[in-house]
Amino acid sequence: MLNSNRIVVYPEGSVVNVYEGVRWHEDAPEMLQARLISDLQQRQLFTGVSSDRLPHDILLLSELRHFQSEYDTSPPSIHLQLDVQLVNTQHRKPLAATSFVIRTRADSPEIPDVVNAFGAASDALAEQLSAWVAAQSSTLRTAD
């Protein structure tokens, strides 16, 4: 269900549902990828940052594991998990890997507040990912 434009919700326990009548403007993985790329570009930590459509030396692979709201209490919490791996494209050699888990609480169960909480969680993820990639980049440069 994550690979869609529906907003996934766990209303109770392991029950999976979607918010009725509400959709993201694009599929969640692509939307998050665009946001993370934009954040990396704005931070100007690297000479170039782009999607996989252009030639590159290092590839950041990612797997979106969680991108949902959970009614563990009210208001709901947002749960994001992104597993990432840096790979040398020339040798196809893994260079580093980690997993980011973000949890944040919405201000209320109202849809606009839930969507805003997704935004805050995505911002926190972007910040943590940028810091990690920058640290890995520094490590890789000193290892050369």
Side-chain angles (χ1 to χ4, degrees):
M1 292 187 83
L2 289 179
N3 198 18
S4 77
N5 65 348
R6 305 299 305 264
I7 301 177
V8 177
V9 58
Y10 282 72
E12 54 186 61
S14 60
V15 175
V16 182
N17 210 337
V18 293
Y19 285 104
E20 192 171 321
V22 182
R23 295 180 187 271
W24 297 117
H25 64 278
E26 60 185 314
D27 290 352
E30 287 80 21
M31 180 179 65
L32 186 60
Q33 178 189 41
R35 186 174 193 143
L36 295 175
I37 288 171
S38 175
D39 185 78
L40 286 168
Q41 289 170 333
Q42 288 176 6
R43 291 175 190 271
Q44 299 179 347
L45 300 169
F46 309 99
T47 322
V49 175
S50 68
S51 67
D52 59 355
R53 292 182 285 271
L54 297 173
H56 43 273
D57 298 326
I58 296 176
L59 179 64
L60 178 67
L61 301 174
S62 64
E63 180 74 30
L64 185 59
R65 301 280 183 198
H66 296 281
F67 194 78
Q68 70 231 16
S69 70
E70 298 174 351
Y71 280 80
D72 46 356
T73 62
S74 188
S77 63
I78 303 306
H79 181 191
L80 271 66
Q81 180 180 342
L82 185 71
D83 298 344
V84 298
Q85 182 180 47
L86 284 173
V87 176
N88 178 306
T89 56
Q90 191 172 40
H91 303 102
R92 297 285 179 200
K93 177 184 170 191
L95 302 171
T98 194
S99 183
F100 298 98
V101 177
I102 309 291
R103 288 191 180 270
T104 190
R105 189 145 316 272
D107 289 337
S108 81
E110 299 298 318
I111 298 298
D113 287 336
V114 171
V115 169
N116 286 339
F118 271 103
S122 297
D123 289 346
L125 174 63
E127 187 174 319
Q128 289 181 24
L129 177 67
S130 293
W132 181 79
V133 171
Q136 297 309 310
S137 177
S138 295
T139 302
L140 295 173
R141 277 195 293 259
T142 58
D144 287 341

